[in-house]
Amino acid sequence: MAERTLRGARLGGQSFEDERGIEFAARQQVGYRCPQGHDFEITMSVEAEVPAVWECPRCGEEGLSTDGIEKVVKAEKPVRTHWDMLLERRSVKELEDILKERLQLLRDGEIGPAHLHRANQRKRKVS
């Protein structure tokens, strides 16, 4: 066995380093209260940007800051639907013309599901 190996050490998060001489980052306690009335504190770095909301560890609801930090409401872009994107490329008149053309192809049996074409062919043979 090599001389560098540690005997009896487990795999995992066990550290053999000593904490002497280490200066920890400055911390602060930030308080929150959820709608269920649960009060809880989160330890954060002094340099961290403190969020206005935090998930409650007891019930999972959004807890609001008790330190007076306001929730910033971001302006949201309106949702673009498929119709909106289609209207960016074509006019309503063009779309009506395309619809008429495609409906006619469907009625003539040139496009569409095969089982519909077979049914139309049977009707034509009977007539």
Side-chain angles (χ1 to χ4, degrees):
M1 194 177 280
E3 295 175 17
R4 296 182 304 240
T5 61
L6 295 171
R7 295 176 126 187
R10 295 180 297 188
L11 294 176
Q14 193 172 15
S15 174
F16 295 106
E17 292 186 17
D18 194 1
E19 293 183 3
R20 284 179 277 164
I22 296 175
E23 187 176 327
F24 292 106
R27 300 175 188 180
Q28 64 178 337
Q29 295 286 57
V30 183
Y32 291 93
R33 177 177 293 124
C34 79
Q36 302 290 328
H38 302 134
D39 290 324
F40 57 96
E41 288 188 337
I42 304 295
T43 304
M44 295 186 186
S45 169
V46 173
E47 299 170 359
E49 185 178 326
V50 178
V53 295
W54 196 272
E55 183 179 316
C56 176
R58 290 187 191 161
C59 64
E61 300 230 10
E62 267 191 358
L64 297 175
S65 171
T66 57
D67 297 338
I69 301 170
E70 295 293 322
K71 189 174 182 179
V72 178
V73 179
K74 296 179 183 176
E76 293 185 19
K77 292 170 42 176
V79 178
R80 284 178 54 202
T81 63
H82 294 292
W83 179 247
D84 294 332
M85 290 183 268
L86 190 60
L87 288 178
E88 289 174 5
R89 296 190 306 264
R90 306 216 187 244
S91 69
V92 175
K93 175 70 175 129
E94 286 177 306
L95 292 171
E96 288 173 350
D97 292 342
I98 292 170
L99 177 63
K100 286 178 188 174
E101 177 185 321
R102 301 303 284 183
L103 285 173
Q104 189 58 48
L105 289 172
L106 183 64
R107 289 182 186 119
D108 293 343
E110 295 180 35
I111 61 170
H115 68 277
L116 292 178
H117 302 315
R118 282 184 252 135
N120 287 338
Q121 288 173 353
R122 287 185 207 134
K123 287 179 185 176
R124 290 180 189 148
K125 288 179 183 178
V126 173
S127 301

